[in-house]
Amino acid sequence: MLASRLTARTLSARPLATSAMPSPTNMAPPTKLLVEAPTVGQFNPPKRLLMGPGPGNAHPRVHAAMALPQIGHMDGAFLQLAEEIKEMLRYAWQTKNVFTVPCSGTGSAAWEALCANLTSPGDKHLVLINGYFGVRHCDMASRYGAEIIKLEKPWGEVFTPEEVDAACAEHKPDMIWVAHAETSTGACQPMEELGAIARKYDALLAADTVTSIGGLPVQLDEWGVDAAYAGGQKALSCPPGIAPLTFGDRALRKMDERSAAGEQTKNWYLDMNMIKQYLVVNDFGVPRVYHHTAPISMAYALREALTILTEEGLENSWARHRDAAEFFWCELEKIGLECHVAWEHRLPTLTTVKIPEGIDGGKVVTFLRENYNIEIAGGLGQLAGKVWRIGLMGYNSRKENAALVCAALRDALDAQGYYRSPGLLYKTRNQSRTSYHGSA
């Protein structure tokens, strides 16, 4: 009886709902889809040991953090998370810069944010070019109207303070750009005297720390760096997609001067004047202003990666990277390979290994991927076909990984007859076989 009454009520209500809620004609489904659904199935990527120049393998805790439930980008809990990220970035960079933020995008986005916000048309950028990424800065900064002045060295070498001072004296730049860690060459630029030189000539000092943050000493305030950017996908063991950016007082003053002169940042998405209203806490009770939807899960990932770094401690992380790198360099010698950069200037995070004469470097890269599921990379620009780039970064910076890469390299070289060529001493060949295969 009750069921029949409920059914009657339901049936009598349907016509009223239908007549009261007509379907909008502009949202009516088409009679036939123009593009049918493709059949792709669930994605199952191969499991690789990522030992190239980046990205490296993310820490398992970072992957787990990315699976946490999302919250809104204006949620107080998310804004608190952003403050924690900023605090830990200051620790990683050793800076007290208030404007230290996670930038939506990879390291190149943070880099472009630096150019877009700190470059006025006609500004002179003194670019220290000793690798591929110095060339890239010339391209990027010139698109914002910078006049490019190139100070060049052979790729893999570093600059002396005297060379930088002389170039500043001649050209009077508005900005000095330098790669602290040149990812294309594996060279580490000494920074200790560059800040004083920049101030002597009233220039901003901008630094690329993509491959150095977390993996070797980076001390922005002590060095007098005015602006810097980094990436999360290397020594921080975070997937690519969110990037640290920091501006000191002199850089912020440059932004204010541009605004006062009526200059508008020529990149809306990366306009840090607008981002400041969202990510920087003020003392005037002004509410945060929405700018763009932040990458929530990537922020979780970066927070967890930085938490891992703070738990290990900077000094311990730097020492671990150095120990693994020096072990790797010694093992490379045992299998008859040389590094491109002098020992005293080598990055512990990224090593460039010379490709021996007569060896097809591309085939070695393919051999490691297909036979060992290990990724390494070839050279860029002037070093294309001349070196391999091999990273020991973050979670992957361990001696067992270095030993595995050397074993795989030895097999790849052996497959091309390297150890049967007359140019290699028998003693070295014998050592390599003993190290990795038990006996000669």
Side-chain angles (χ1 to χ4, degrees):
M1 191 70 170
L2 177 61
S4 63
R5 287 202 300 269
L6 288 173
T7 302
R9 289 176 183 175
T10 302
L11 291 173
S12 63
R14 283 175 183 166
L16 292 175
T18 303
S19 60
M21 301 290 291
S23 298
T25 56
N26 64 315
M27 286 188 278
T31 56
K32 180 177 173 56
L33 293 176
L34 176 64
V35 179
E36 297 296 329
T39 302
V40 294
Q42 184 177 358
F43 183 53
N44 185 26
K47 294 181 180 179
R48 309 270 197 224
L49 179 60
L50 302 178
M51 301 296 289
N57 294 97
H59 195 288
R61 279 175 53 183
V62 172
H63 283 301
M66 294 182 72
L68 293 172
Q70 293 182 9
I71 53 179
H73 58 282
M74 297 299 288
D75 190 307
F78 182 77
L79 295 175
Q80 176 59 36
L81 174 144
E83 291 302 312
E84 292 165 355
I85 289 174
K86 289 156 62 177
E87 183 179 6
M88 290 187 284
L89 282 175
R90 294 185 189 104
Y91 169 72
W93 260 326
Q94 288 297 284
T95 181
K96 295 182 178 180
N97 290 345
V98 173
F99 188 81
T100 301
V101 298
C103 188
S104 301
T106 62
S108 293
W111 186 356
E112 183 146 4
L114 183 150
C115 288
N117 289 272
L118 300 181
T119 305
S120 295
D123 277 0
K124 293 181 180 180
H125 281 209
L126 177 64
V127 185
L128 279 53
I129 303 174
N130 58 350
Y132 181 84
F133 291 97
V135 176
R136 178 170 288 184
H137 183 80
C138 295
D139 182 9
M140 191 180 292
S142 66
R143 296 178 185 224
Y144 290 96
E147 177 186 340
I148 303 301
I149 302 159
K150 299 178 181 180
L151 180 61
E152 300 187 71
K153 295 279 288 235
W155 288 23
E157 296 185 13
V158 298
F159 297 90
T160 65
E162 292 76 17
E163 290 169 333
V164 178
D165 189 283
C168 288
E170 179 180 356
H171 299 287
K172 305 296 190 296
D174 298 283
M175 178 185 289
I176 304 168
W177 179 93
V178 60
H180 175 231
E182 202 3 301
T183 313
S184 69
T185 67
C188 181
Q189 172 63 43
M191 297 290 295
E192 288 78 5
E193 297 182 53
L194 299 189
I197 294 172
R199 280 155 179 75
K200 177 180 176 182
Y201 296 98
D202 195 25
L204 296 177
L205 178 59
D208 179 322
T209 66
V210 170
T211 309
S212 54
I213 188 171
L216 61 150
V218 180
Q219 299 168 287
L220 296 187
D221 285 6
E222 185 174 316
W223 295 340
V225 174
D226 297 297
Y229 56 89
Q233 71 273 19
K234 302 194 187 236
L236 295 182
S237 299
C238 179
I242 191 166
L245 176 69
T246 187
F247 291 168
D249 290 342
R250 297 173 77 236
L252 292 174
R253 188 157 55 249
K254 170 71 171 180
M255 284 178 56
D256 292 341
E257 289 170 355
R258 293 183 67 233
S259 296
E263 286 186 48
Q264 189 175 48
T265 299
K266 298 185 185 303
N267 189 314
W268 182 91
Y269 187 66
L270 299 174
D271 187 339
M272 293 299 123
N273 284 304
M274 300 171 75
I275 297 295
K276 275 199 302 183
Q277 298 177 60
Y278 171 51
L279 281 180
V280 178
V281 175
N282 61 76
D283 297 324
F284 309 106
V286 178
R288 309 256 192 159
V289 179
Y290 160 75
H291 180 254
H292 69 274
T293 303
I296 306 299
S297 296
M298 287 308 308
Y300 292 173
L302 182 58
R303 183 195 183 280
E304 189 66 18
L306 290 166
T307 300
I308 293 167
L309 176 65
T310 59
E311 289 172 354
E312 181 178 14
L314 275 177
E315 297 91 342
N316 292 331
S317 180
W318 297 339
R320 174 171 57 83
H321 281 82
R322 189 74 197 180
D323 289 347
E326 292 189 357
F327 171 81
F328 182 50
W329 301 337
C330 291
E331 294 302 296
L332 287 171
E333 290 183 11
K334 292 180 184 178
I335 60 173
L337 293 176
E338 299 178 54
C339 294
H340 176 68
V341 177
W343 182 287
E344 62 270 22
H345 296 308
R346 286 180 202 165
L347 287 171
T349 48
L350 192 285
T351 300
T352 43
V353 182
K354 293 181 181 179
I355 298 174
E357 186 177 353
I359 293 297
D360 187 323
K363 288 183 177 179
V364 169
V365 172
T366 301
F367 184 96
L368 264 64
R369 185 178 64 248
E370 293 182 349
N371 293 277
Y372 283 89
N373 269 322
I374 294 174
E375 178 183 288
I376 64 171
L380 291 173
Q382 294 181 14
L383 295 180
K386 298 179 181 179
V387 300
W388 296 297
R389 293 183 298 150
I390 302 175
L392 284 166
M393 299 183 285
Y395 181 64
N396 285 349
S397 184
R398 302 192 299 274
K399 289 182 179 179
E400 60 265 32
N401 287 336
L404 177 57
V405 170
C406 284
L409 282 172
R410 198 223 170 278
D411 282 355
L413 293 168
D414 202 25
Q416 293 192 41
Y418 179 57
Y419 297 103
R420 294 185 292 278
S421 62
L424 191 64
L425 296 176
Y426 177 81
K427 179 180 179 182
T428 304
R429 180 172 70 248
N430 189 54
Q431 286 177 341
S432 68
R433 289 183 180 275
T434 300
S435 297
Y436 298 105
H437 298 283
S439 60

